Amino acid sequence: AGAGGGGGGGGGGVVDLQHPARPFDGAEQNRMQDQLRTNLTSDEISTRSGGSAGQVAYVEGWRVIAKAQEIFGFDGWSSRILQLQREYEDHDSKNGRWTYSYSATVRISLRNGTFHDEVGSGCKVDKDRGKAIENARKEAVTDAMKRGLRLFGPALGLSVYDKDYVTEAKRAKPAAAAAPAALPPPGPPGPPQLRLHAQFGDAGHAQFGDDRAVAGGVHRSTCHAHAH
């Protein structure tokens, strides 16, 4: 198993003793390496306002988890919260809003024992104190998990740190959206068309008539439905 170095406040190691190692075979390892080297597509990259930094590229948490499941398998990886602590708390008595900030350290482990530790943060403001705490904690854990997964390769979020690639992906996205979709080839003629006409009477009934093309003219039939 290879060792992984962490970024930010985290680190990496060869073996996670909390999870007994189950090596990947050669074919699995080659497949995962190929998948992990693949950059995220433009549709997988989201943007948000970064204040003075302008638009910031990121990957949504659910998407990173889904890709990890796809690459490593549902039993091929795991995450564990090593630390979760409150960094900041404030209450504005004028508007009744609570502000909470949390930091989290999460370990991402593969079944072969390789792991990465990373630190994330979350800050939420809410009039409901409990909601502010809950959402800040969740955001911190998700942030740490995403930062840990990105260390495995471009497919799990490292792509968004490549500014040149993100710029090209953004340019390609509008062009792809503007391209007209190809029309399917015409198929064989279908059955006669059915046209429904609704007429509502004062007795609360709806009368539906249909016109069917038949040899020599038009055949009309009517069915009645009660309005409930």
Side-chain angles (χ1 to χ4, degrees):
V14 177
V15 177
D16 180 358
L17 297 178
Q18 296 290 329
H19 299 86
R22 290 186 296 128
F24 297 104
D25 63 34
E28 288 177 314
Q29 201 143 355
N30 290 335
R31 174 189 58 77
M32 288 189 297
Q33 286 286 0
D34 289 341
Q35 288 181 286
L36 289 170
R37 291 191 189 104
T38 305
N39 283 320
L40 294 165
T41 67
S42 58
D43 290 333
E44 294 172 321
I45 299 175
S46 302
T47 56
R48 59 177 172 77
S49 174
S52 59
Q55 291 293 305
V56 177
Y58 73 100
V59 189
E60 294 177 278
W62 70 267
R63 194 183 294 279
V64 178
I65 293 173
K67 289 187 75 71
Q69 299 281 64
E70 177 187 341
I71 295 172
F72 301 130
F74 75 93
D75 62 345
W77 72 289
S78 64
S79 64
R80 183 159 58 96
I81 299 172
L82 302 179
Q83 186 177 23
L84 181 60
Q85 65 182 33
R86 186 176 65 210
E87 301 290 346
Y88 176 76
E89 174 187 355
D90 182 62
H91 181 244
D92 189 331
S93 58
K94 292 183 180 180
N95 58 27
R97 294 183 181 276
W98 291 89
T99 301
Y100 278 90
S101 176
Y102 276 81
S103 67
T105 303
V106 171
R107 171 168 295 179
I108 305 296
S109 301
L110 301 188
R111 79 177 199 203
N112 66 354
T114 304
F115 70 91
H116 289 294
D117 298 342
E118 256 294 2
V119 176
S121 61
C123 182
K124 289 297 180 181
V125 180
D126 203 299
K127 287 187 175 181
D128 186 324
R129 185 180 184 184
K131 283 291 184 184
I133 295 173
E134 176 187 356
N135 291 332
R137 287 162 61 96
K138 288 180 178 178
E139 187 177 80
V141 171
T142 300
D143 188 44
M145 181 180 62
K146 290 198 303 180
R147 290 176 61 81
L149 283 168
R150 76 186 165 96
L151 297 173
F152 288 98
L156 293 180
L158 194 59
S159 298
V160 299
Y161 291 84
D162 183 342
K163 294 182 179 180
D164 292 336
Y165 174 74
V166 171
T167 300
E168 289 301 318
K170 287 180 181 177
R171 289 174 181 169
K173 191 172 184 177
L183 295 175
Q193 295 297 314
L194 176 67
R195 299 192 300 273
L196 296 179
H197 309 280
Q199 298 176 342
F200 292 88
D202 54 6
H205 296 75
Q207 295 183 334
F208 298 93
D210 65 83
D211 294 342
R212 299 180 193 270
V214 295
V218 174
H219 167 74
R220 292 191 57 85
S221 65
T222 303
C223 64
H224 298 270
H226 288 279
H228 296 286

